[in-house]
Amino acid sequence: MTRSLWVLMAVLAIGVAGYALVLMLLPGFGPPFVADRRVTVPLALFAHLSGGLTALAVGPWQLNARLRARALGRHRWTGRVYVVAVLIGGLGALGLAVRSEEGLVTHVGFGMLAVLWLASTFMAYRTIRAGDQVAHRVWMIRSFALTLAAVALRVYLPLSQVAGIPFADAYQVIA
Ligand code: HEM
């Protein structure tokens, strides 16, 4: 990956992680459905936000080859943090997916994303424990590509609204 693409990815990932952090810390902030989830499924919401924002914030540094080569010990520890973050964020996502806005299509879309997010991260962990660095790298790229779905959603959704697509249609297609 070129340096400028890495910087773009890191800025977008950290921007969305920051949004999730503000959402966690300020009860009055965010869309109305989040206020509802704070009451109905607080554990799933906070697991999802805390795990998701941690995974987004640490992922870009893990994928940077130069940083990895310079401090392998730190890469290992941050990698463990990433895996635990996805586990917590992914289980929270499953709890939210069954209640997501706009019905069955988004339940299935977000639900499948959560399962694939957990599975790809598990595979990345398993392959490195088995000493297979090539497969570990491939699975980690898949895992973080899925983590970046959080960024993609927040780019596509505003664009769909600017394009005049009804929210319900756009949300189902994007999910
Ligand atoms: C990649 C797997 C992910 C899945 C399957 C997933 C799933 C979901 C679901 C189902 C909701 C509730 C939507 C609704 O009720 O309509 C949600 C909301 C949310 N998710 Fe995720 N998510 C994922 C990753 C992330 C990550 C990495 C973050 C990073 C911080 C994140 C941040 C949020 C936030 C902030 C909300 C609240 C909604 C908003 O204000 O936009 N998600 N997610």
Side-chain angles (χ1 to χ4, degrees), residues 86-111:
V86 172
L87 181 62
I88 295 171
L91 292 175
L94 284 174
L96 293 177
V98 293
R99 296 169 178 83
S100 53
E101 299 289 292
E102 310 308 337
L104 185 64
V105 173
T106 71
H107 303 340
V108 174
F110 285 131

Side-chain angles (χ1 to χ4, degrees), residues 19 33 37 48-49 56 100-101 110 114 117 146 150 154 171:
Y19 165 70
F33 79 87
R37 307 300 183 266
H48 183 59
L49 294 181
L56 265 185
S100 53
E101 299 289 292
F110 285 131
W117 196 31
L146 296 176
R154 286 163 190 92
Y171 202 58

Side-chain angles (χ1 to χ4, degrees), residues 7-126:
V7 170
L8 177 67
M9 177 182 76
V11 166
L12 290 172
I14 287 163
V16 173
Y19 165 70
L21 184 65
V22 176
L23 209 61
M24 262 181 78
L25 298 179
L26 297 183
F29 180 77
F33 79 87
V34 172
D36 173 74
R37 307 300 183 266
R38 284 185 209 276
V39 179
T40 52
V41 277
L43 190 62
L45 181 69
F46 284 95
H48 183 59
L49 294 181
S50 57
L53 79 88
T54 306
L56 265 185
V58 303
W61 317 101
Q62 292 300 95
L63 292 179
N64 186 307
R66 213 176 323 155
L67 292 178
R68 204 164 52 224
R70 209 186 298 161
L72 197 56
R74 195 169 54 201
H75 176 81
R76 288 199 181 106
W77 275 106
T78 321
R80 288 177 189 126
V81 170
Y82 177 86
V83 169
V84 173
V86 172
L87 181 62
I88 295 171
L91 292 175
L94 284 174
L96 293 177
V98 293
R99 296 169 178 83
S100 53
E101 299 289 292
E102 310 308 337
L104 185 64
V105 173
T106 71
H107 303 340
V108 174
F110 285 131
M112 280 170 52
L113 176 60
V115 170
L116 293 176
W117 196 31
L118 288 164
S120 57
T121 309
F122 172 72
M123 287 304 294
Y125 180 71
R126 214 173 85 150

